[in-house]
Amino acid sequence: MDKFEKLTGIAAPMPLVNIDTDMIIPKVFLKTIKRSGLGVNLFDEMRFDREGNEIPDFVLNQPQYREAEILVAGDNFGCGSSREHAPWALKDFGIKSVISTSFADIFYNNCFKNGILPIVLPQEAVDVLMKDAEKGSNARMIVDLENQTVSSSEGESFSFEVDPFKKHCLLEGLDDIGLSLEKAPAIDAFEEKAAQARPWV
Amino acid sequence: MSPKTLYDKIWDAHVVSEDADGTCLLYIDRHLVHEVTSPQAFEGLRMAGRKVRAPEKTIAVPDHNVPTTAGREDPKNMTEDSAIQVAALDKNAKDFGIHYYPVSDIRQGIVHIVGPEQGWTLPGMTVVCGDSHTATHGAFGALAHGIGTSEVEHVLATQTLIQKKSKNMKVEITGKLRPGVTAKDITLAVIGATGTAGGTGYVIEYCGEAIRDLSMEGRMTVCNMAIEGGARAGLIAPDEKTYEYVQGRPHAPKGAQFEAALSWWKTLFTDEGAHFDKVVTLKGEEIEPVVTWGTSPEDVLPISAVVPSPEDFTGGKVDAAKRSIEYMGLTSGQKLTDIEIDTVFIGSCTNGRIEDLRAAAQIVEGKKIKVGRAMVVPGSGLVRAQAEEEGLDKIFTDAGFEWRLAGCSMCLAMNPDQLSENERCASTSNRNFEGRQGYKGRTHLVSPGMAAAAALTGKLTDVRTLMSETAA
């Protein structure tokens, strides 16, 4: 996984609440056995009409947001299905961070596994950043994971919380399966103990 | 020792190691696998030269993609990309030596119906699957939740997950349900009350008289939709109904092992005085049969209500409600019972079990459907066989329903069972998201009885009006 570097990028506003993973990547695109190439289908039913033409009003179709790397979104982003295709599609499109007041649990975890930083901020902070994002491509936000801050294009800065372990893995681009396998002796010991206590499992 | 919740107890029994910051390695007792969210995980194992650590605890079944019509064992009768995913699961199950129920096996079905049916799911276990509706298994007092594909790979390789503990939430349903009100109405009413993010960061324990009164099937329906309320998992403490359901299932413990298991299962309850971070209480007798009007599972109203107007809401929900009403082709102030239905879908991991089919058949018996299309998709091959033994298939087909083979089907429309544009469906599934059941399709979530009622009248209908008719 790539290391998560300090990010200065265009933020696209998506104020709709409850943007679900079916919207992020409709199920017709889940019939792949690969992780890559889903960016062209990101937000497919919101982004394209049935004939495959772009819907001009959709935010990521507007010229100033085509190169967006950050989304500022309404409450409860990523709710619904556990499909990791959602962060795969975001990542493939070029989105590296999503800012909202809240995220659905599984989506939130899936982001970290794919080098995407989901940032939870209070409503007032999201409101400021949403307004900033609405200014278009001249308004570049700065996401600084090391120092746990997001700054608007006008320099207004907000601190965010992130789990120390998740932060470490993202900053270093670590594969957590490798890390967990280093604990194999502890897993062996647990299995031995569990086989005594709950032999029916 | 300080009093513990049920969640605390299961969690503590599965911690392999804990770091200073509270990050834990949690042991996983059962890993369920299906064809859509697993190919990339198995590929990851191959590329890293890793094995499945505990193939005996790993169970796979194709369900999301499979057609529900005859002849589906032949890959030629699937779309090419679906056939590739199913073939990949066939191969991965064989190569890695995990338990497998192929399409041709009568035990095949929706993974969350097959797990409990085969006795893989037991009280006090940790159960995961690359599917958000894994919450279903919480009905047994198992800690069960959905995971992404990277975590599927992590569990395959290590039989553990990296987790931090969630907070404890109690949802109590007091008193008795009134006739015609079901587990589906409970779980929707809870989401209506708490919102789709009301459970975020929590594991919910459902309790109270109305929950105790539910069958195992009903409890699975309640826990199934815990995820729709944002919770990581839903739990119900095991009791005599649980033990009775489990005993004798193919993979449940037998003899002395069962007795040993039972004595541990009987310790799985929330201690008196244990702390909950959030408590929600609903009165069972106040819950009415409900339907969803919008495109989020929180858009719940009693069937007696009218379509709301965006001004009834605040914040970001105003625009969301406006968008939902437009998408659903409804008018604010319109009576829910005036909404005409094109299609009825009965099935899914929420309501595809035998009790659900019985409830629907009871309403349908001896009558004819008034909708263009109505479909029953049993949750597993064994549910289907049981229903046929009881003659339910005949009741449905005589009324004009299609009687299908088992799978996820129109719940998420990854197979050919899909709504067309603007087609309106009363559905016993779990999500009414835009496009969920087909491009521009319109979904109203309901209980099996309510779905049956809508099929008979061609409109969203209070099932109780048909029940009194039956009684008379």
Side-chain angles (χ1 to χ4, degrees):
Chain A
M1 200 167 73
D2 299 338
K3 292 181 179 183
F4 190 93
E5 310 277 356
K6 186 170 168 180
L7 170 64
T8 303
I10 299 163
M14 293 193 76
L16 187 65
V17 300
N18 295 329
I19 292 178
D20 58 67
T21 52
D22 276 83
M23 287 180 181
I24 298 171
I25 185 81
K27 72 236 157 204
V28 284
F29 307 108
L30 306 189
K31 295 188 184 193
T32 171
I33 54 171
K34 299 197 183 104
R35 283 180 161 100
S36 55
L38 288 165
V40 291
N41 307 116
L42 177 71
F43 295 115
D44 195 84
E45 290 178 6
M46 300 164 98
R47 206 165 135 205
F48 304 104
D49 66 18
R50 210 74 225 263
E51 283 72 48
N53 305 307
E54 285 188 0
I55 298 169
D57 283 352
F58 183 68
V59 62
L60 297 179
N61 287 335
Q62 295 168 22
Q64 65 272 36
Y65 295 115
R66 283 177 181 271
E67 305 296 321
E69 291 178 279
I70 302 165
L71 292 182
V72 185
D75 309 342
N76 199 29
F77 188 85
C79 58
S81 153
S82 65
R83 59 188 70 164
E84 198 161 316
H85 308 69
W88 293 338
L90 287 164
K91 177 86 180 179
D92 197 51
F93 180 87
I95 301 294
K96 299 192 176 83
S97 182
V98 186
I99 300 166
S100 178
T101 57
S102 59
F103 292 89
D105 191 45
I106 304 175
F107 175 82
Y108 185 81
N109 284 323
N110 282 344
C111 281
F112 285 95
K113 311 282 180 188
N114 292 283
I116 297 173
L117 174 63
I119 298 174
V120 179
L121 286 173
Q123 187 69 57
E124 309 78 62
V126 173
D127 289 346
V128 170
L129 294 172
M130 190 73 76
K131 280 222 153 50
D132 196 47
E134 283 164 2
K135 291 178 190 162
S137 59
N138 293 326
R140 294 191 173 238
M141 268 179 215
I142 300 170
V143 174
D144 183 345
L145 175 57
E146 183 74 55
N147 294 306
Q148 298 182 209
T149 58
V150 187
S151 310
S152 74
S153 63
E154 303 198 343
E156 202 169 346
S157 181
F158 303 96
S159 294
F160 61 86
E161 295 292 319
V162 59
D163 179 79
F165 177 74
K166 289 189 165 87
K167 176 180 175 180
H168 173 68
C169 287
L170 213 52
L171 284 172
E172 300 299 326
L174 295 176
D175 157 27
D176 58 12
I177 296 178
L179 292 177
S180 295
L181 283 172
E182 286 173 13
K183 294 181 177 166
I187 303 173
D188 292 340
F190 179 92
E191 280 183 340
E192 259 177 57
K193 210 176 68 190
Q196 299 282 323
R198 296 190 298 276
W200 60 85
V201 172
Chain B
M1 224 167 42
S2 59
K4 287 179 173 185
T5 64
L6 171 59
Y7 171 48
D8 297 338
K9 289 180 182 178
I10 303 173
W11 175 272
D12 290 350
H14 290 86
V15 174
V16 171
S17 68
E18 181 167 0
D19 294 341
D21 72 347
T23 302
C24 291
L25 209 55
L26 196 71
Y27 195 80
I28 302 303
D29 293 324
R30 292 287 180 263
H31 186 192
L32 308 173
V33 174
H34 67 80
E35 79 279 21
V36 175
T37 57
S38 68
Q40 295 87 347
F42 285 110
E43 193 53 29
L45 290 187
R46 280 199 184 88
M47 279 167 34
R50 289 167 178 154
K51 290 182 175 165
V52 175
R53 182 181 168 99
E56 73 284 2
K57 295 173 181 171
T58 312
I59 301 101
V61 59
D63 58 2
H64 281 56
N65 265 311
V66 298
T68 55
T69 42
R72 63 181 185 166
E73 299 80 2
D74 185 346
K76 284 202 277 307
N77 293 330
M78 282 189 210
T79 60
E80 191 186 347
D81 40 11
S82 293
I84 290 171
Q85 279 194 331
V86 173
L89 189 62
D90 286 345
K91 179 169 163 45
N92 288 329
K94 195 162 156 251
D95 288 359
F96 290 93
I98 63 182
H99 297 280
Y100 189 49
Y101 302 104
V103 178
S104 56
D105 193 312
I106 191 171
R107 297 167 297 177
Q108 178 273 344
I110 306 170
V111 64
H112 307 307
I113 292 190
V114 172
E117 200 168 71
Q118 292 301 318
W120 291 114
T121 308
L122 299 172
M125 280 185 163
T126 46
V127 181
V128 296
C129 173
D131 188 281
S132 56
H133 292 110
T134 310
T136 312
H137 308 264
F140 292 81
L143 177 60
H145 60 86
I147 54 178
T149 299
S150 294
E151 289 182 313
V152 169
E153 186 178 338
H154 192 283
V155 177
L156 289 172
T158 70
Q159 205 57 28
T160 66
L161 266 185
I162 301 169
Q163 292 268 291
K164 265 200 171 165
K165 203 175 169 203
S166 302
K167 290 180 283 183
N168 278 289
M169 176 168 171
K170 175 161 94 169
V171 173
E172 186 175 16
I173 315 294
T174 61
K176 299 269 179 207
L177 296 180
R178 290 186 301 185
V181 180
T182 66
K184 183 65 165 286
D185 301 297
I186 292 180
T187 203
L188 282 170
V190 170
I191 298 161
T194 61
T196 47
T200 303
Y202 295 93
V203 164
I204 295 175
E205 181 177 345
Y206 298 95
C207 60
E209 188 184 356
I211 298 291
R212 286 282 137 234
D213 283 350
L214 293 175
S215 65
M216 287 314 295
E217 284 85 355
R219 293 178 190 183
M220 284 189 253
T221 302
V222 170
C223 289
N224 173 275
M225 291 190 71
I227 181 69
E228 258 56 68
R232 173 165 295 173
L235 282 172
I236 295 174
D239 61 11
E240 293 302 327
K241 286 182 189 169
T242 321
Y243 316 142
E244 194 186 319
Y245 180 98
V246 165
Q247 193 166 22
R249 303 231 164 227
H251 295 279
K254 313 254 177 330
Q257 289 257 335
F258 184 83
E259 294 308 317
L262 193 61
S263 67
W264 187 59
W265 295 344
K266 288 186 172 171
T267 68
L268 298 175
F269 55 84
T270 291
D271 296 330
E272 188 76 31
H275 175 72
F276 284 96
D277 304 280
K278 187 171 178 177
V279 178
V280 173
T281 307
L282 262 61
K283 290 182 178 155
E285 58 271 17
E286 288 180 4
I287 300 174
E288 281 191 64
V290 293
V291 300
T292 61
W293 54 268
T295 56
S296 165
E298 70 190 8
D299 299 337
V300 174
L301 283 171
I303 183 65
S304 56
V306 299
V307 176
S309 91
E311 292 74 45
D312 299 342
F313 300 92
T314 55
K317 192 68 190 170
V318 178
D319 284 343
K322 200 171 152 201
R323 182 185 170 99
S324 287
I325 290 166
E326 193 181 315
Y327 179 89
M328 293 295 290
L330 300 173
T331 313
S332 298
Q334 181 181 10
K335 285 167 81 173
L336 292 173
T337 48
D338 285 342
I339 296 173
E340 291 186 8
I341 295 296
D342 304 307
T343 297
V344 167
F345 171 69
I346 297 175
S348 83
C349 58
T350 313
N351 282 128
R353 284 169 286 268
I354 188 69
E355 183 180 276
D356 302 313
L357 305 192
R358 286 178 192 143
Q362 204 184 350
I363 302 298
V364 165
E365 189 162 16
K367 304 202 176 77
K368 297 278 180 207
I369 62 168
K370 274 195 193 153
V371 290
R373 176 160 69 137
M375 195 188 285
V376 182
V377 182
S380 72
L382 290 176
V383 169
R384 187 171 194 266
Q386 171 76 32
E388 288 178 356
E389 204 178 296
E390 297 177 18
L392 305 185
D393 58 323
K394 188 87 175 43
I395 294 174
F396 285 119
T397 50
D398 284 352
F401 279 83
E402 296 171 44
W403 180 247
R404 297 294 195 93
L405 298 168
C408 297
S409 181
M410 201 188 267
C411 174
L412 86 166
M414 276 192 78
N415 76 346
D417 307 337
Q418 301 182 8
L419 297 180
S420 51
E421 261 179 73
N422 299 337
E423 189 175 347
R424 187 182 298 282
C425 181
S427 177
T428 67
S429 55
N430 41 54
R431 291 198 174 123
N432 51 350
F433 295 160
E434 290 181 18
R436 172 79 180 181
Q437 294 193 290
Y439 183 77
K440 301 271 185 217
R442 294 163 170 170
T443 303
H444 296 276
L445 301 177
V446 290
S447 71
M450 291 282 282
L456 297 180
T457 64
K459 287 178 179 179
L460 288 178
T461 299
D462 188 337
V463 62
R464 294 171 298 188
T465 60
L466 300 184
M467 287 171 67
S468 52
E469 206 175 286
T470 313

